[in-house]
Amino acid sequence: MVKFAWDYVKNVTVRSLLFLILLIPSLLFGQGYCENTLININLDQYPQETTWDIQDSLGNIIISGGPYTNVPNYEPQFIVNCLPVGELSFTIYDLYGDGLQGSIWGGQDGSYYVIQCDDTLVYGGDPAFGYDTTHVFMSDLCPPPPPVPGCLDDDYLEYNPLANVSDSSCSTLVVYGCTDSTMYNYDPLANAMDNIAQCTYDLILHDLIGNGWVFGTVLEIYQDGDTTAFFMTNGGFNQAFTVDLYAVGEVSAKLIISQQAQFTAVECGFTLISPDGDTSISVQPPFIQPFLCYEGLTYCGNTCEEKIYGCMDSTAYNYIDTANVSEPCYYYPGCISPAYLEYHNDTAIAYYTDINIQDSCETLAMFGCTDSLSFNYDSLANVDNGGCLPVVMGCMDGFAFNYNVLANTPDTCIPFIYGCTNVTALNYDSLANTDDNSCIFPIFGCMDPLALNFMPQANVDDGSCIDVVYGCTDPTMFNYDQLANVDNGSCIPFVYGCTDSTAFNYNPLANADNNSCVSYIYGCTDPSALNYSAAANTEDFSCIAYVYGCMDSLALNYDSLANTDNGSCITIIMGCMDQSAYNFNANANINDSLSCRYSAGCITGDSIPYWLNDPCYAWVIDIDNYCCENEWDTVCQATYNYCEGTWVGPLPIRGIERTLISITDILGRETKVIKNKVLFFNFSDGTVQRKIIK
């Protein structure tokens, strides 16, 4: 038989196991039976990103896998699991969000599929599923295999490995031995060749393109109901494997190509080579018939031995160690009768003749089993004939449950006790030793009729009952209750806004804060005000109106109330502003009367107008023509002194038309002449002169 080792599963598919399991008639197991299903995940170069699960209609996870942290890149994962009947969902996830698109990163794309009863229920040929994708499918019972009558016991020659129903055709027990009458160890009682236990075959997988078998292509080797599966994982044109088979037996090879990967069939082939170098089965690419079986017969040899003639006595000088058929031996002198234990024992005299020394033959040889622990021990034997049989204890009653056809020594017999022998059944009978097909298998589920997930067909409560919880089940609503499983119509929609009552834009109708709250910012909110604040949203009545004017304190028109300069400032220009003066300054805006230069209004001795540089002297002449036309008298001098501020007493008055009445300052207060101050001279004719006496 093919060796089936679970530690080999990492590198080969276990799809074959699924096919073997599906040979069991599923209808024998009733409603609680679940079907074994193959889940195949073909990874890309980032196996650590991939996970998956299968859930029932209630969201319960039945099986899951990944992440494949310690798995080589591209290594396919084959999982066989028992799935319950009904609607299921398969979901595959990718942590990075690029699915199984290994090709976009310079590698190979992955794929996935779920197979049950040789049908593909889930196909994932498109690797671009992002972070996850879900497939909903129905799991069902597989139909039982068709009945094949025949002998089911391989201890009989009539054994049929393909049969699944006994037809009582087993009649001839297999007797192993050499069946070749020309051989030394020919056994006339044997009816089956006594073969070498097993032999090693070489299996070579071929790929025409050289990129390996993709999307779950599998080669399965069958012999006597056992299966070993092979998968070309790393690519290449050829990959070699070792297969251990029985020496003689029919072998079939099946190349299985899933529906989504039939394009790769034209690239695939295989060769099975026997230990002697002969090709037993060979299928070269292109292979265009998926699921096709090829059959052949393996033969490694047997225990038949050819006759080798020669002296078989090691004490003889012509002894041949490979001989199995005796020929005459030539000895040294001694007992030449094989009936005695002393046969060929005397070797004292060295010459090559067959001379019998009668006195050396003393003890007759008694052949038999000399092992006292053997079943056929012969206490009288002194020479073992190699025919000892081991003691085999067992029940020798053919009608007993534990009847042992090989037993030669009676042991305790156990009668047949019928009942359910499956330990997983509800009615398992620990005393029964023969199953009567009465087993009732558990159906796990919620048995509470008031629960949300009540399962009427369940016969074993699995504690999964879910209490009914009323509330809002709409996750888009404000009062969504994640614990609720029955909606009671209480859902309230979200009203987004600022929920902070201390905020400027507080919304009393909002129930969900949208981070829009704005704090109160106090300030002047009038854009026409001098101190307007664009950041302020609340008026603090601090606004200051614009007051335009000259803000230069040195300017002529300085306005102490102005807060905004309007560019109207007038620079002070000191000068003589008296148009009657010969140095009148039309640009002056501050009268510097002391700088004025006047005509005396009179003619000097040279008959030329005399321009006085002394303002008081000019003033005196200006107001009193007598002082120019006539001699300078005491009145002229007193008036001059009055102008200079040295006169004590009232201003002398001459009978003229215009006379000085008073002198006042800028506040209107009467004063004397004060130098370097603005003074107003008030005359009798109503005129006023503004002057500064330097």
Side-chain angles (χ1 to χ4, degrees), residues 497-510 513 516-518 520:
C498 176
T499 60
D500 185 358
S501 60
T502 65
F504 170 73
N505 59 331
Y506 165 64
N507 184 1
L509 300 178
D513 196 283
S516 65
C517 292
V518 178
Y520 280 97

Side-chain angles (χ1 to χ4, degrees), residues 524-673:
C524 177
T525 61
D526 185 358
S528 65
L530 175 66
N531 59 332
Y532 167 67
S533 174
N537 55 32
T538 305
E539 180 64 54
D540 63 353
F541 305 102
S542 64
C543 294
I544 302 172
Y546 282 94
V547 180
Y548 297 94
C550 177
M551 297 180 67
D552 186 358
S553 60
L554 300 178
L556 177 66
N557 59 333
Y558 166 68
D559 187 353
S560 61
L561 300 178
N563 53 33
T564 304
D565 197 289
N566 60 355
S568 65
C569 291
I570 302 172
T571 303
I572 294 177
I573 302 175
M574 302 290 290
C576 178
M577 299 177 66
D578 190 348
Q579 296 183 9
S580 64
Y582 78 87
N583 64 333
F584 166 69
N585 186 355
N587 296 321
N589 49 35
I590 298 295
N591 188 26
D592 183 8
S593 59
L594 296 180
S595 66
C596 292
R597 301 294 181 263
Y598 300 92
S599 172
C602 60
I603 306 299
T604 64
D606 298 327
S607 299
I608 300 175
Y610 179 64
W611 302 95
L612 298 176
N613 292 326
D614 187 343
C616 283
Y617 191 44
W619 178 62
V620 171
I621 295 176
D622 186 49
I623 66 173
D624 190 353
N625 290 332
Y626 178 85
C627 296
C628 178
E629 297 174 353
N630 302 289
E631 296 294 330
W632 187 272
D633 60 7
T634 56
V635 175
C636 293
Q637 186 62 47
T639 304
Y640 180 84
N641 292 338
Y642 182 86
C643 176
E644 285 191 330
T646 60
W647 178 258
V648 179
L651 181 68
I653 300 176
R654 194 188 298 273
I656 57 178
E657 293 181 1
R658 190 178 76 159
T659 60
L660 181 65
I661 298 175
S662 64
I663 302 174
T664 58
D665 59 17
I666 59 175
L667 299 178
R669 296 174 297 184
E670 190 171 345
T671 183
K672 295 180 180 181
V673 176

Side-chain angles (χ1 to χ4, degrees), residues 312-465:
M312 300 174 63
D313 191 346
S314 61
T315 64
Y317 75 86
N318 63 334
Y319 167 66
I320 300 176
D321 59 351
T322 59
N324 53 31
V325 179
S326 180
E327 286 189 332
C329 296
Y330 299 97
Y331 308 92
Y332 298 111
C335 178
I336 61 175
S337 176
Y340 291 86
L341 293 178
E342 295 81 10
Y343 178 54
H344 298 161
N345 281 348
D346 191 353
T347 59
I349 304 175
Y351 59 88
Y352 304 110
T353 60
D354 289 333
I355 300 175
N356 182 31
I357 302 176
Q358 295 292 335
D359 292 340
S360 64
C361 300
E362 297 179 354
T363 309
L364 285 172
M366 303 292 291
F367 295 89
C369 176
T370 61
D371 185 359
S372 61
L373 300 178
S374 297
F375 173 72
N376 59 334
Y377 168 65
D378 186 356
S379 60
L380 299 178
N382 53 25
V383 179
D384 196 281
N385 62 355
C388 291
L389 301 175
V391 174
V392 181
M393 303 287 293
C395 175
M396 302 177 68
D397 184 355
F399 296 98
F401 170 74
N402 60 333
Y403 168 64
N404 186 357
V405 68
L406 301 178
N408 52 33
T409 304
D411 201 358
T412 303
C413 292
I414 302 173
F416 283 93
I417 302 175
Y418 295 92
C420 176
T421 61
N422 195 320
V423 296
T424 64
L426 294 177
N427 60 330
Y428 165 67
D429 186 355
S430 61
L431 300 178
N433 53 36
T434 305
D435 197 279
D436 60 358
N437 296 323
S438 65
C439 293
I440 301 172
F441 293 92
I443 302 175
F444 297 93
C446 176
M447 298 179 65
D448 186 358
L450 300 178
L452 180 68
N453 59 331
F454 170 61
M455 184 177 176
Q457 66 270 29
N459 55 27
V460 179
D461 197 301
D462 60 358
S464 65
C465 292

Side-chain angles (χ1 to χ4, degrees), residues 41-178:
I41 310 295
N42 297 307
L43 301 168
D44 60 7
Q45 67 265 43
Y46 303 103
Q48 68 276 8
E49 300 175 0
T50 303
T51 58
W52 59 271
D53 61 45
I54 293 180
Q55 303 181 16
D56 60 18
S57 57
L58 299 177
N60 299 313
I61 297 178
I62 300 173
I63 183 177
S64 62
Y68 300 98
T69 305
N70 298 318
V71 174
N73 298 346
Y74 310 114
E75 181 171 289
Q77 303 299 307
F78 299 93
I79 303 93
V80 176
N81 193 76
C82 185
L83 299 182
V85 175
E87 182 179 281
L88 305 174
S89 63
F90 173 87
T91 303
I92 189 167
Y93 310 89
D94 184 77
L95 182 63
Y96 192 76
D98 59 353
L100 292 172
Q101 299 180 92
S103 60
I104 67 177
W105 307 108
Q108 302 177 16
D109 291 339
S111 62
Y112 57 90
Y113 57 83
V114 178
I115 295 178
Q116 186 184 83
C117 308
D118 284 337
D119 294 330
T120 301
L121 305 181
V122 172
Y123 166 53
D126 184 5
F129 57 80
Y131 285 98
D132 58 79
T133 185
T134 299
H135 302 265
V136 179
F137 65 94
M138 293 296 298
S139 175
D140 205 350
L141 298 176
C142 296
V148 179
C151 177
L152 304 180
D153 192 343
D154 59 4
D155 290 331
Y156 289 84
L157 288 178
E158 295 81 11
Y159 168 65
N160 183 2
L162 301 178
N164 54 31
V165 178
S166 178
D167 61 354
S168 302
S169 61
C170 299
S171 60
T172 308
L173 281 171
V174 175
V175 179
Y176 292 100
C178 180

Side-chain angles (χ1 to χ4, degrees), residues 476-479 491-500 506-514:
T476 65
M477 293 294 155
F478 170 72
N479 61 329
C491 292
I492 300 172
F494 280 94
V495 179
Y496 294 95
C498 176
T499 60
D500 185 358
Y506 165 64
N507 184 1
L509 300 178
N511 55 28
D513 196 283
N514 60 355

